[in-house]
Amino acid sequence: MNNNISIRKKISNSIKAFVARIVLFVLYRGIKVLAREDSRIMNEFQSWPEGLSVVLETSYNGPSISLMKKDSKLVRTGDIENADIRITFRSIDAAFLVLTGQIGVARAYAEHRFMLSGDICQTMSIVRCIDIAESYLFPRLMTRRILRKVEKKEFSTLRVYRKIFVGV
């Protein structure tokens, strides 16, 4: 980090990084649960090629998550240098806005808040999964604001959170 950054900004960035780490974990576990439970995510996930690797980074030095479709399951992996799809938020502030549901992925893309490398068609499938997962994970008030269309839930949010935190 730059030494010219104020203490307040450093603390703010640390808190945002901590929250981003938690949200990325919950999002991963949510998609993993929903890939087995929700028919729409199940269909999207089945269309992904075996071995597809995805990296979501909150900034170059911020929290990240690396995922791969392996043996028809979504698994978390170590850092993937040459991922098929890499989404890198330009700053922890941009990542925080998206990950906490203050702005949607589409708006973040339009505002150039992240960089994408990889197949955009495949990325759209991943974004559809994230949107559906967000409809389960975020309160309806938030999802109405950030999603173009709020998907109908196939089962309760409580069931998803139970499976995320108690057992997958």
Side-chain angles (χ1 to χ4, degrees):
M1 274 192 175
N2 187 348
N3 291 332
N4 295 332
I5 297 175
S6 72
I7 298 291
R8 179 179 281 167
K9 184 66 174 172
K10 286 181 183 180
I11 291 170
S12 172
N13 285 348
S14 294
I15 292 169
K16 288 176 182 178
F18 177 74
V19 170
R21 213 173 265 105
I22 291 169
V23 172
L24 287 171
F25 171 78
V26 171
L27 182 62
Y28 155 67
R29 295 286 296 255
I31 291 173
K32 187 174 180 173
V33 166
L34 292 166
R36 292 191 324 253
E37 307 268 338
D38 186 282
S39 64
R40 297 158 300 181
I41 291 184
M42 193 181 306
N43 290 336
E44 290 287 348
F45 184 70
Q46 289 173 350
S47 75
W48 299 357
E50 190 66 28
L52 177 75
S53 57
V54 179
V55 175
L56 290 169
E57 301 173 308
T58 57
S59 64
Y60 289 108
N61 296 320
S64 66
I65 190 163
S66 301
L67 309 171
M68 181 179 282
K69 182 179 180 183
K70 187 175 185 179
D71 300 326
S72 298
K73 294 179 183 168
L74 186 64
V75 295
R76 193 171 179 178
T77 65
D79 189 36
I80 303 170
E81 192 164 319
N82 294 317
D84 297 314
I85 296 169
R86 182 176 298 272
I87 298 171
T88 305
F89 288 95
R90 293 187 179 270
S91 68
I92 191 67
D93 295 321
F96 185 79
L97 290 172
V98 174
L99 294 173
T100 58
Q102 296 178 54
I103 65 172
V105 173
R107 179 175 167 190
Y109 182 76
E111 293 177 354
H112 305 287
R113 292 183 184 262
F114 64 85
M115 295 173 288
L116 168 68
S117 61
D119 182 4
I120 195 158
C121 293
Q122 192 69 56
T123 304
M124 293 308 298
S125 175
I126 293 164
V127 169
R128 282 190 292 275
C129 291
I130 291 171
D131 285 350
I132 294 168
E134 285 177 345
S135 72
Y136 282 97
L137 301 174
F138 289 147
R140 190 162 182 80
L141 180 67
M142 287 173 78
T143 56
R144 269 190 273 145
R145 194 178 64 211
I146 63 172
L147 300 177
R148 208 170 26 95
K149 176 184 173 197
V150 178
E151 299 290 340
K152 187 173 179 192
K153 297 177 186 177
E154 293 184 2
F155 47 88
S156 77
T157 296
L158 189 59
R159 180 175 162 186
V160 175
Y161 272 108
R162 182 177 51 82
K163 289 188 176 223
I164 287 171
F165 293 114
V166 177
V168 177

